[in-house]
C-alpha cells in the first residue's frame, strides 16, 4: 500500500507540475495514469468483493471522463455524465458493503446548504448544462451522504476512508465547476488534483481493511 501511495502521489505531482509549467503531453499522460494506477490497486485487492467491482467500474467511468476532458474539443456533457456514473457506482458499492443506514440529520442539512450556495454561484453561467450539472452535484452529494451515514453509524476505518474520500471528491468537483463556469483562478489545478486523486485513493484504500 505504501509503494502504491507513493506511485499515485508521484504521478499526480507530475500532472500538477505539467498543468503549470510542463508540456501538454505530460498533462494528458499523467492524469489518466494516476487513475489507472488506482484502478490497478483496486483490482489487486486480495479478496475482491462486490463493492470492489463497483469501485473498479467507478474508476473506469472517471477515467473515461478524464479522457473526454483532455480531448482538443472537450465533451463536457459526456464527461459530467461519466463522473456522475462514477459517483453512482461508488454509492452502490458503499450500500452493498453496509446496506443499513441511520439518519444523522446535520449531514444532509449541511449538504443541502452547500448545494444551494454552489448552484447560486454557478446557475447564471451554466446555459444548456443547467440540469446535467444539478444532477451531477446531487449525485456527488448523495455519495457523500451515504458514506457519511455509514461512518456515523459504524465508525470503522474503512467507512472513515470512504467518507473522507467522498468529501474530497465533492470538494474537487465543486472547485472545478467554480473555476470552469464562474471564477477562473490559477491555483485550481493543484486544489482539484490534490482532492481528486486523494479522494479516489482513499475510497480504493477502504477495500484493504
Amino acid at each position: 500500500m505504501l509503494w502504491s501511495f507513493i506511485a499515485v502521489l508521484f504521478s499526480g505531482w507530475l500532472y500538477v507540475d505539467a498543468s503549470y509549467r510542463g508540456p501538454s503531453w505530460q498533462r494528458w499522460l499523467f492524469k489518466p495514469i494516476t487513475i489507472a494506477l488506482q484502478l490497478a490497486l483496486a483490482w489487486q485487492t486480495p479478496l475482491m468483493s462486490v463493492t470492489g467491482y463497483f469501485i473498479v467500474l467507478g474508476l473506469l467511468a472517471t477515467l473515461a471522463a478524464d479522457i473526454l476532458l483532455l480531448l482538443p474539443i472537450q465533451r463536457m456533457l459526456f464527461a459530467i455524465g461519466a463522473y456522475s456514473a462514477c459517483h453512482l457506482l461508488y454509492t452502490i458499492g458503499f450500500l452493498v458493503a453496509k446496506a443499513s443506514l441511520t439518519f444523522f440529520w446535520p449531514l444532509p442539512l449541511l449538504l443541502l446548504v452547500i448545494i444551494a450556495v454552489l448552484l447560486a454561484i454557478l446557475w447564471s453561467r451554466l446555459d444548456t448544462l443547467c440540469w446535467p450539472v444539478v444532477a451531477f452535484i446531487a449525485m456527488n452529494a448523495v455519495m457523500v451522504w451515504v458514506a457519511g451515514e455509514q461512518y456515523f453509524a459504524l465508525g470503522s476505518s474503512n467507512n472513515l476512508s470512504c467518507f473522507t474520500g467522498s468529501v474530497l471528491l465533492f470538494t474537487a468537483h465543486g472547485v472545478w465547476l467554480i473555476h470552469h463556469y464562474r471564477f477562473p483562478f490559477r491555483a485550481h489545478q493543484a486544489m482539484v488534483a490534490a482532492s481528486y486523486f486523494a479522494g479516489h485513493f482513499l475510497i480504493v484504500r477502504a477495500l484493504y481493511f
Side-chain angles (χ1 to χ4, degrees):
M1 177 63 73
L2 176 61
W3 287 108
S4 299
F5 172 74
I6 293 173
V8 169
L9 181 65
F10 183 64
S11 180
W13 177 81
L14 288 173
Y15 164 74
V16 174
D17 181 67
S19 299
Y20 288 102
R21 58 181 182 177
S24 57
W25 66 263
Q26 184 177 323
R27 177 170 55 88
W28 297 336
L29 181 64
F30 282 101
K31 190 174 187 182
I33 282 180
T34 306
I35 294 298
L37 286 170
Q38 302 196 55
L39 182 60
L41 180 62
W43 189 254
Q44 292 171 4
T45 305
L47 296 173
M48 179 64 79
S49 61
V50 175
T51 296
Y53 287 115
F54 277 107
I55 289 176
V56 166
L57 290 173
L59 286 167
L60 287 172
T62 205
L63 180 59
D66 288 342
I67 292 171
L68 287 168
L69 290 179
L70 290 172
L71 294 175
I73 300 177
Q74 293 186 355
R75 301 290 189 259
M76 184 63 70
L77 178 61
F78 296 106
I80 288 174
Y83 282 134
S84 298
C86 169
H87 300 152
L88 175 60
L89 289 162
Y90 280 175
T91 303
I92 295 172
F94 299 159
L95 289 171
V96 168
K98 297 287 188 301
S100 60
L101 289 176
T102 58
F103 188 74
F104 180 65
W105 66 266
L107 180 58
L109 180 61
L110 177 61
L111 287 170
L112 286 173
V113 171
I114 294 172
I115 289 171
V117 172
L118 188 56
L119 288 177
I121 293 171
L122 299 173
W123 189 259
S124 63
R125 301 294 184 91
L126 295 178
D127 296 325
T128 58
L129 289 179
C130 286
W131 295 113
V133 169
V134 169
F136 170 53
I137 294 171
M139 188 64 251
N140 205 336
V142 168
M143 177 181 67
V144 174
W145 173 66
V146 170
E149 292 290 354
Q150 292 186 342
Y151 169 66
F152 291 121
L154 302 171
S156 64
S157 297
N158 64 327
N159 292 130
L160 176 60
S161 191
C162 288
F163 180 44
T164 306
S166 298
V167 170
L168 286 172
L169 288 179
F170 188 90
T171 303
H173 289 303
V175 171
W176 172 63
L177 288 170
I178 290 171
H179 165 80
H180 190 80
Y181 287 107
R182 176 60 72 174
F183 306 118
F185 59 102
R186 186 169 173 78
H188 93 282
Q189 290 281 12
M191 295 172 63
V192 170
S195 300
Y196 179 72
F197 294 140
H200 286 296
F201 181 82
L202 286 172
I203 289 173
V204 171
R205 176 178 174 268
L207 298 174
Y208 283 79
F209 286 104

